[in-house]
Amino acid sequence: MALTAAPAATAAEATSSSATAGDSFYRYTGSEPLASLAPGTVLKTRTLQYHLVGLPTPVKAIQLLYRTTDAQGRPSANVTTVVRSLTGDSGKAVSYQSFYDSLNPEDGPSRAIAGGLTLGGAIANAESLFLVPLLLQGYNLVIPDTEGQTANFAAGPEYATNTLDSIRAATRSAQTGMSQDTRFGLMGYSGGAIATNWAAALAPAYAPEVNAKLVGFAEGGLLVDPAHNLKYVDGSLVWTGVIPMALIGVSRSYGIDLKPYLNGYGLEVYQKLERGSIVDALGHYPGLTWKQMAKPQYADPNSVPAFVDAVNRINLGSAPTPAVPGFIAQGNGGVLEGTFGNRPGIGTGDGVMVAGDVRALARQYCSTGNGSIEYKQFDLLSHVGVPVVWAPLAMGWMNDRFAGRTAPSDCGRIPAGNSLAPEKTVPAS
């Protein structure tokens, strides 16, 4: 199978009514090639009012355009937002990874903060409920556009580099008040958990100086083995739209073309969601299955080499073990959101994320040298319900890490999970 590069969408190509559409701040215009600049180099800086649903607030936000690296190792430019501590403390910060989950770069948190107002960006606005308590506790906040400027939804390794280079940029800018001595915690739920976990996993090799100042990572509703997730939500009532969304995002990130394997209906769904957000997908395709979108000979997704290649690239089970403590929460009440899947080797989950995969990953971390993993499973809560209990627990856990208290461990008590072995291709029928 030939792998062909997907065209890179840019901010200027966005077809949104956002106030930031075509914003030149997002484009690198320097004379020096990006490749010659170190990851985390600040390229542009601006200060503006922090906006909520398009309305300015008294809070100031600093936005940085910085050099980072995409999933294929190529230099790229991305944007992050910094909100300085209300207490003036420069020594502690939380990198908060948003769950904006979109294939449209106009939906990123930096654009919502700058005053952009899109339906997909509503999530980034709602997440202020998580950010305000952190600010009130004296943390600096760093909020990266984790998906980058081409909105590569679900591409975990790219989320990681965008996040780690965002921290580098934030500590190199004189305007943020932070420095190389500032300690950081990583925090995120769902799509934000993808960025949080991948950043923690890749930090020792990709950004060792960032890893040295991490106190830990707190996350919930985690995507671990995407092949399992796609099979888990197959035919469900609410979450089926994430199947084409993830395929589009990962294909875009790695330059893989999956369209030759889709039938007419599959192509129609694919094209409708190419610039869609999670709000365009949830509940829009009840009962959708891979089989309905694929050509008959590719009814088994593992018969598509490009699919297998894509999901194996973003399987956290094959990524390194984080070197810092972790708090991981996961729901298991997916039936509440219309996901009734319980396949052998996959089991149940929160409606979109597979609980057995998350348990397996936590156990893997425990057995590969990280004994500071706390795992909480909420069997009666679904994906949408878990954040209500996760957020205060995660903040309390994070406060303890900054206070220097010994991280708790559930190692030895986490129930068994699924195999996270890479997927294998099977012959097309």
Side-chain angles (χ1 to χ4, degrees), residues 170 236 393:
S236 64
L393 290 174

Side-chain angles (χ1 to χ4, degrees), residues 50 81 249 253 295 371:
Y50 193 110
T81 302
S253 181
K295 291 178 179 177

Side-chain angles (χ1 to χ4, degrees), residues 83-94:
V83 182
R84 296 184 65 166
S85 166
L86 298 180
T87 64
D89 186 347
S90 64
K92 63 180 187 179
V94 168

Side-chain angles (χ1 to χ4, degrees), residues 11 33 55 81 87 96 126 162 209 222 262 274 307 313 329-330 338-339 346 372 403 407:
L55 301 175
T81 302
T87 64
Y96 179 83
N162 286 331
E209 83 283 8
L222 178 64
L262 301 178
E274 276 189 295
F307 169 85
R313 287 175 188 251
Q330 177 60 40
T339 304
I346 298 177
S372 300

Side-chain angles (χ1 to χ4, degrees), residues 123-137:
I123 290 174
N125 280 293
E127 285 178 292
S128 297
L129 293 172
F130 297 130
L131 300 178
V132 170
L134 291 168
L135 275 178
L136 293 177
Q137 292 178 59

Side-chain angles (χ1 to χ4, degrees), residues 41-257:
T41 298
V42 178
L43 307 173
K44 291 183 184 179
T45 304
R46 70 179 179 186
T47 300
L48 41 74
Q49 301 302 122
Y50 193 110
H51 288 72
L52 279 177
V53 292
L55 301 175
T57 74
V59 176
K60 290 287 173 74
I62 301 160
Q63 294 194 324
L64 308 173
L65 180 75
Y66 62 96
R67 195 275 208 200
T68 186
T69 308
D70 72 10
Q72 298 182 59
R74 301 171 300 192
S76 59
N78 193 43
V79 173
T80 191
T81 302
V82 177
V83 182
R84 296 184 65 166
S85 166
L86 298 180
T87 64
D89 186 347
S90 64
K92 63 180 187 179
V94 168
S95 179
Y96 179 83
Q97 287 65 248
S98 169
F99 51 86
Y100 62 104
D101 297 349
S102 179
L103 292 162
N104 186 344
E106 287 293 324
D107 295 335
S110 70
R111 295 179 183 271
I113 290 167
L117 195 58
T118 64
L119 186 58
I123 290 174
N125 280 293
E127 285 178 292
S128 297
L129 293 172
F130 297 130
L131 300 178
V132 170
L134 291 168
L135 275 178
L136 293 177
Q137 292 178 59
Y139 290 105
N140 294 277
L141 294 180
V142 181
I143 311 162
D145 288 0
T146 54
E147 297 180 5
Q149 293 213 55
T150 52
N152 296 330
F153 172 65
E158 188 165 325
Y159 282 24
T161 53
N162 286 331
T163 298
L164 295 168
D165 288 328
S166 160
I167 293 174
R168 282 170 160 161
T171 57
R172 292 174 184 173
S173 169
Q175 291 182 243
T176 66
M178 290 179 280
S179 71
Q180 301 302 316
D181 297 325
T182 303
R183 295 181 300 155
F184 275 82
L186 299 170
M187 185 173 174
Y189 186 80
S190 190
I194 298 174
T196 296
N197 201 298
W198 274 100
L202 299 189
Y206 181 78
E209 83 283 8
V210 173
N211 188 70
K213 54 195 173 194
L214 291 180
V215 302
F217 64 98
E219 64 194 20
L222 178 64
L223 173 70
V224 178
D225 184 341
H228 289 177
N229 292 77
L230 297 182
K231 294 169 185 174
Y232 169 57
V233 303
D234 206 50
S236 64
L237 300 180
V238 176
W239 287 100
T240 48
V242 301
I243 298 175
M245 277 194 69
L247 293 176
I248 294 166
V250 178
S251 298
R252 186 183 291 172
S253 181
Y254 288 104
I256 296 171
D257 188 3

